[in-house]
Amino acid sequence: MTPRAAETIAVIGLGYVGLPLAVTLARHFSVLGFDIDQSRVEELRRGEDRTREVAPDVLRASSLRLSADAAELPGKTVYIVTVPTPVDEKNIPDLNPVRSASRTVGRALRQNPAPQAIVVYESTVYPGVTEDICGPILEQESGLVCGRDFFLGYSPERINPGDKVHTVDKIAKVVAGQTPESAARLEHIYGKVTSGGIHMAPTIKTAEAAKVIENAQRDINIAFVNEIAMIFGKMGISTYDVLEAAGTKWNFLKFQPGLVGGHCIGVDPYYLAHRAEELGHHARIILSGRAINDGMGAYVGNAVSARIKPGSNVLVLGLTFKEDVPDLRNSKVADLIGSLKDLGHRVSVHDPLADPNEAQHEYGVMLSPRLDQLGGFDAVVAAVPHWEYRAIDQAGLARLACEGGLIADLKGIWRSQPIPPGRQYWTL
């Protein structure tokens, strides 16, 4: 099985991961972008991307074909699955999206199997999911034999929403194939689309494991900084001052405290911990880090509440899971809002990037439309450091927070500017 010049590729799932990948692949191959959400496909056909990962002019100029019709999937030589892998309300891995995508691809293989087609998974999973769960589903739906009629591959996604530097065409890609021949084809395909180089993992399980620990490691480091923020808060020491001082050492890792959500860091560690528990090992460090980070919304809510009067009017700035992106998935700001409400406060929320309908649907949060029409709050909580909030000056803060009010600056975005007279200032 040698690299083919005329690979035909289908990317399954056109979200934050799938769309940038599909657009980049389409510069070199014939690519079909498939998503079960017809409205998403229609939006992309208009040249609009709500995730803001692909610019409108780039999207409109792309040769990428788009479809929500599974009848267009048969006959492709490569299928790349980029669907979400969330957790449920008990933090148990929810593999339903990847199972469903596998069934869709399996049916496409049954209808018109290209010789030696490869099914590649980019979705973050624990080691073994691709071969032990997805492979059998593909066999069942297709009636074909995995490893003979079609082959498996894994190349973990490394998309960082909002990051315009570490884009899919610049990052190093980890690639693994079921056989040396299938791995070579994937090395050729991914090598065409990135200047960051290809790392060939020896097995699919190795590649799966590499991905899941990347975010678990980051989660643990942030949990450490969140814990020291709690400790230093009791001591009256600025965590940011401490981090600046410690950061002068050449090998100090520069993480900051805050709310840890999103589709990766707040989810992936649970995948590894789940598999560890199945094998009889309790993942103490991983789960301890998760417990700290999952509890930060309540911690901040209590810290703010302790500094204001009962029943205060509180303005929370930001709802997305990180700055300068519209991504609301697994936002821990929702936990903070819930904590403040449970403590008896009236909460208003503003976010310049979040979709109001999605905020209402996912979290029951009604977004305030205009920041310039808001003011006079007993507390202003900068939860997400969007550029619009970083640009607020002393006069703007004075308008938002009333005399005697609290300015709670979780990420320290206003540390370097004077705080309006008569206001309290608090940060992690």
Side-chain angles (χ1 to χ4, degrees):
M1 194 188 308
T2 58
R4 304 178 183 183
E7 300 280 10
T8 57
I9 301 172
V11 176
I12 316 299
L14 297 174
Y16 282 86
V17 175
L19 180 64
L21 176 64
V23 169
T24 306
L25 284 166
R27 297 170 187 162
H28 307 275
F29 304 97
S30 172
V31 181
L32 172 68
F34 173 83
D35 200 289
I36 60 173
D37 185 350
Q38 180 68 47
S39 65
R40 172 65 168 163
V41 171
E42 291 173 356
E43 162 195 311
L44 296 176
R45 283 175 176 166
R46 295 192 301 269
E48 302 169 5
D49 172 27
R50 74 187 74 161
T51 70
R52 304 190 184 191
E53 290 299 309
V54 178
D57 58 333
V58 174
L59 186 54
R60 294 189 186 105
S62 175
S63 64
L64 172 68
R65 293 185 299 113
L66 299 160
S67 180
D69 184 1
E72 296 193 40
L73 290 173
K76 303 297 182 288
T77 63
V78 179
Y79 296 88
I80 303 178
V81 177
T82 63
V83 297
T85 44
V87 293
D88 64 17
E89 65 280 356
K90 295 182 179 179
N91 293 320
I92 303 299
D94 177 6
L95 293 175
N96 285 323
V98 80
R99 290 177 189 270
S100 178
S102 298
R103 287 192 289 269
T104 297
V105 173
R107 289 191 289 269
L109 290 172
R110 175 184 288 276
Q111 294 174 39
N112 183 16
Q116 299 180 319
I118 303 178
V119 184
V120 190
Y121 291 84
E122 290 215 1
S123 306
T124 303
V125 292
Y126 55 79
V129 168
T130 299
E131 294 165 295
D132 301 338
I133 295 177
C134 299
I137 293 174
L138 292 166
E139 285 189 321
Q140 181 180 5
E141 294 292 336
S142 68
L144 303 176
V145 176
C146 184
R148 185 193 71 187
D149 303 319
F150 69 89
F151 299 85
L152 299 173
Y154 189 79
S155 182
E157 61 90 0
R158 282 174 166 169
I159 294 292
N160 182 24
D163 190 336
K164 302 307 180 184
V165 177
H166 302 97
T167 51
V168 70
D169 58 337
K170 297 183 179 70
I171 58 174
K173 281 290 281 181
V174 174
V175 171
Q178 190 173 7
T179 63
E181 293 80 12
S182 59
R185 275 178 62 193
L186 294 178
E187 181 181 26
H188 169 73
I189 291 169
Y190 283 106
K192 284 281 190 181
V193 302
T194 181
S195 61
I198 304 296
H199 176 87
M200 294 295 293
T203 66
I204 288 175
K205 286 185 175 66
T206 299
E208 291 170 323
K211 170 56 182 176
V212 80
I213 72 164
E214 288 174 12
N215 287 320
Q217 181 189 69
R218 185 168 176 80
D219 190 45
I220 291 166
N221 278 299
I222 298 173
F224 168 72
V225 176
N226 276 335
E227 186 165 53
I228 65 170
M230 297 175 189
I231 296 169
F232 294 152
K234 294 179 181 295
M235 298 178 178
I237 302 172
S238 166
T239 304
Y240 287 98
D241 288 346
V242 173
L243 292 175
E244 284 182 3
T248 60
K249 187 179 181 185
W250 62 92
N251 61 351
F252 184 80
L253 302 179
K254 296 183 179 181
F255 291 90
Q256 291 187 340
L259 304 173
V260 185
H263 67 300
C264 285
I265 297 178
V267 173
D268 294 357
Y270 285 122
Y271 273 73
L272 184 57
H274 172 77
R275 183 58 180 146
E277 295 287 345
E278 289 183 334
L279 296 171
H281 178 85
H282 181 62
R284 289 172 291 178
I285 292 177
I286 294 171
L287 291 175
S288 292
R290 273 287 77 224
I292 291 171
N293 287 340
D294 273 350
M296 281 302 289
Y299 171 79
V300 172
N302 281 300
V304 169
S305 184
R307 291 166 170 81
I308 56 179
K309 63 182 182 293
S312 288
N313 290 314
V314 180
L315 173 62
V316 173
L317 298 178
L319 181 60
T320 62
F321 91 89
K322 65 177 287 189
E323 65 274 16
D324 300 331
V325 299
D327 195 345
L328 285 171
R329 290 176 295 174
N330 193 34
S331 171
K332 294 303 177 184
V333 181
D335 295 348
L336 166 60
I337 294 167
S339 174
L340 289 168
K341 288 182 177 179
D342 289 344
L343 292 165
H345 303 292
R346 295 179 293 276
V347 182
S348 299
V349 184
H350 177 268
D351 193 299
L353 299 180
D355 181 85
N357 292 328
E358 187 179 356
Q360 180 67 43
H361 179 267
E362 293 296 324
Y363 303 112
V365 171
M366 181 90 56
L367 293 177
S368 299
R370 296 271 303 270
L371 186 62
D372 59 2
Q373 294 178 348
L374 300 174
F377 288 90
D378 300 306
V380 176
V381 183
V384 185
H386 289 314
W387 67 266
E388 183 172 340
Y389 305 147
R390 299 195 297 270
I392 297 175
D393 58 14
Q394 185 181 33
L397 290 176
R399 187 191 82 248
L400 292 173
C402 68
E403 184 84 20
L406 172 70
I407 296 171
D409 182 6
L410 303 194
K411 303 297 288 188
I413 60 175
W414 299 315
R415 291 177 64 233
S416 61
Q417 68 169 284
I419 299 303
R423 277 76 172 175
Q424 307 175 62
Y425 178 80
W426 174 79
T427 189
L428 287 170

